[in-house]
Amino acid sequence: MATAEEDRASRRLAWCVAHLLRHAPQHVVTDLLHRLDDTTRKYLCRDQWLPASAVTLLLRHGTDADRNWIARNPHVVGRPLPGLPGPARYAARPGPSPELLREAGPGPFAPAELITLLRRHGRRPRIPLTLLRMPHQLLDPEQLVREHARAPLPAGAVEALLLVGALPRQACLGLLDARAGDTYGRHWWRPAVRAVRTGLLTCDELVSCVAPASRTLLLGHLPVGHGLRWTLPEQAEMQSAVQRALRPLLGDDPRLWAELPRRAPAFRGTLPELAAALASGAPPAPGAVRHDPALARAVRHLAPDPGTAEPTGEWERELALVSLAVPMETVDEDVRWVRDCLDRSLLTGADVVRHKVPACWALDEDQWLGDIGHPDRHDHPAAVLAARAEADRLFDEALGDDPRAWWRAARALPDFAGTLPELLARVTDGDSVSNRP
């Protein structure tokens, strides 16, 4: 039986690991999950900051106990688990309309006939979901992917197949490759968001398979709008995955980052393929360079800081930076001060991550923006995304893709009183900052 102190330590470690997992490559996430004991894994599965990709990996490779705890986590959005939105929600829908029965018949549909109907009625997922509930012969995933590669299915049909098609992961990856069709279309982003939201794919897997590359860049900074879109934590996670694909190949070279939005509109492959072509110096095909304002905006949010001028405020900014190292008496006072500094442009989200103490508070936006009901309802999304991007950069430079270094950072984080850069410097120098054995 664990003591109260051991239980508290497990709960705090799980909270810190949940924040680290938002910035780690997929293989590091898998390694860290395997290193946790049963008590810490239980608290991790119940944590409100558990990232979508970690949920997917726990559902895919975890135990029944992991899945049970995740199913009881009210902050896990959209996963196909008991009591949560998913395919079961659509099973209760009314049957096919008389108009659809007159056009398509009652079934059963042959695979080729079903694919034809999905193409014809695939603008939105409502009718494809109905068609997939009607009698039909089992779809062959390989045939489906071949047909999609020849002429991509509409976005609504792909979304319905991801929801209720019971397809293997490789087929899901293939359905998100639309390089043979139009670059964009109505609601083109919905299948990608749905694949992450329902736990089919992680954000890293999404970056590796979505084509054309311009779609992936826009998914990294999807504009706010109505309908199915990223929540703020999911948007930050997708931004991190896109950065992990680009940063090793493009580095901080401003010429390559400037070329990225010019080459992406006409490039039909995936984003990693585009980044490799840019890094190798491969010349563009004739007519393959053009300007797309939406892509230019997306890349501006992803590119390294070009060294912009220091924010205005002079001594007020210096005071704001110093105040991050001296927490106030209560969290509410701290939150009011930081939010006021953000509103007056004295601080950015990146400043908070670099200078706020302790490091675990800097990684948790609730500690400097306040808990306002739900992680997606922060009214400072630019500060949150900037903070996540800066943390990504710091972790990548210090820890890379070494799981052991990430684990040392996770063990040190709960009890470390300094800033995040100080923690990473101590961990990489091999000087233990944790009182844990």
Side-chain angles (χ1 to χ4, degrees):
M1 180 71 68
T3 65
E5 181 61 25
E6 291 172 340
D7 192 73
R8 185 199 70 82
S10 294
R11 187 189 298 264
R12 187 165 177 81
L13 177 60
W15 174 63
C16 291
V17 169
H19 287 86
L20 284 187
L21 295 182
R22 300 186 304 191
H23 308 284
Q26 184 166 321
H27 73 280
V28 171
V29 173
T30 302
D31 183 272
L32 291 182
L33 292 175
H34 287 156
R35 291 175 183 265
L36 300 176
D37 58 61
D38 291 342
T39 304
T40 307
R41 283 170 71 97
K42 176 186 75 173
Y43 286 124
L44 179 70
C45 292
R46 295 165 57 181
D47 195 277
Q48 75 172 42
W49 290 112
L50 187 63
S53 294
V55 171
T56 297
L57 294 174
L58 282 165
L59 294 177
R60 190 182 297 173
H61 305 298
T63 64
D64 289 339
D66 295 333
R67 287 183 277 273
N68 178 62
W69 286 116
I70 290 174
R72 295 166 63 181
N73 186 338
H75 302 283
V76 173
V77 181
R79 277 17 177 228
L81 293 166
L84 297 177
R89 168 184 171 186
Y90 298 97
R93 293 183 62 88
S97 66
E99 293 81 4
L100 183 61
L101 285 173
R102 280 197 300 270
E103 178 181 346
F109 307 125
E113 186 180 5
L114 179 60
I115 291 174
T116 300
L117 290 169
L118 291 174
R119 289 191 190 280
R120 187 181 306 159
H121 301 283
R123 289 184 63 194
R124 297 298 297 268
R126 182 176 61 85
I127 296 179
L129 285 167
T130 302
L131 289 169
L132 291 169
R133 288 177 55 209
M134 296 171 69
H136 63 273
Q137 297 177 19
L138 190 64
L139 283 171
D140 177 19
E142 293 184 1
Q143 178 190 0
L144 180 64
V145 171
R146 282 196 305 270
E147 284 293 316
H148 181 74
R150 179 183 62 82
L153 295 168
V158 173
E159 184 181 351
L161 286 165
L162 294 177
L163 268 170
V164 299
L167 300 171
R169 192 183 318 144
Q170 202 59 36
C172 295
L173 295 171
L175 287 176
L176 292 170
D177 187 330
R179 69 183 72 195
D182 295 334
T183 302
Y184 307 112
R186 186 176 175 84
H187 305 302
W188 62 266
W189 65 87
R190 287 182 60 106
V193 175
R194 186 70 75 180
V196 171
R197 183 72 58 81
T198 55
L200 291 174
L201 302 175
T202 66
C203 289
D204 285 336
E205 291 167 343
L206 204 63
V207 170
S208 70
C209 73
V210 168
S214 55
R215 291 189 176 192
T216 314
L217 287 172
L218 290 179
L219 286 170
H221 188 70
L222 195 61
V224 176
H226 298 292
L228 180 72
R229 291 180 182 255
W230 299 126
T231 64
L232 183 58
E234 288 169 342
Q235 179 70 81
E237 194 172 344
M238 188 65 196
Q239 172 184 274
S240 300
V242 172
Q243 285 279 17
R244 280 193 290 273
L246 294 175
R247 196 184 300 118
L249 293 168
L250 304 188
D252 293 329
D253 189 338
R255 295 175 296 111
L256 295 179
W257 284 94
E259 189 72 7
L260 181 61
R262 299 173 64 239
R263 294 274 292 273
F267 191 83
R268 308 306 297 179
T270 64
L271 185 61
E273 292 168 349
L274 173 59
L278 287 172
S280 67
V289 174
R290 65 176 185 264
H291 178 67
D292 184 324
L295 283 176
R297 285 193 298 271
V299 172
R300 274 200 302 272
H301 284 86
L302 295 166
D305 185 355
T308 54
E310 193 75 5
T312 58
E314 298 179 356
W315 66 269
E316 288 184 296
R317 172 170 165 78
E318 292 298 324
L319 175 62
L321 289 172
V322 170
S323 71
L324 293 175
V326 187
M328 298 187 181
E329 292 185 5
T330 66
V331 173
D332 288 343
E333 289 181 278
D334 215 12
V335 166
R336 279 195 295 270
W337 170 251
V338 172
R339 289 171 70 93
D340 181 63
C341 292
L342 291 171
D343 289 337
R344 292 190 288 152
S345 300
L346 298 176
L347 294 176
T348 66
D351 291 327
V352 178
V353 166
R354 284 194 297 262
H355 297 282
K356 188 166 181 59
V357 296
C360 57
W361 284 15
L363 293 173
D364 186 347
E365 291 90 9
D366 271 2
Q367 301 296 325
W368 47 274
L369 280 179
D371 183 0
I372 51 179
H374 190 278
D376 192 38
R377 293 183 189 150
H378 287 303
D379 52 354
H380 287 74
V384 173
L385 294 175
R388 298 284 186 94
E390 179 64 11
D392 288 340
R393 187 186 68 80
L394 292 172
F395 280 117
D396 179 66
E397 290 182 356
L399 308 181
D401 58 359
D402 181 2
R404 291 175 298 177
W406 284 87
W407 179 240
R408 289 197 300 271
R411 298 289 287 176
L413 185 59
D415 299 325
F416 188 69
T419 65
L420 182 60
E422 291 169 346
L423 167 70
L424 296 175
R426 299 280 287 275
V427 168
T428 53
D429 287 341
D431 181 10
S432 175
V433 294
S434 174
N435 295 325
R436 302 176 191 278

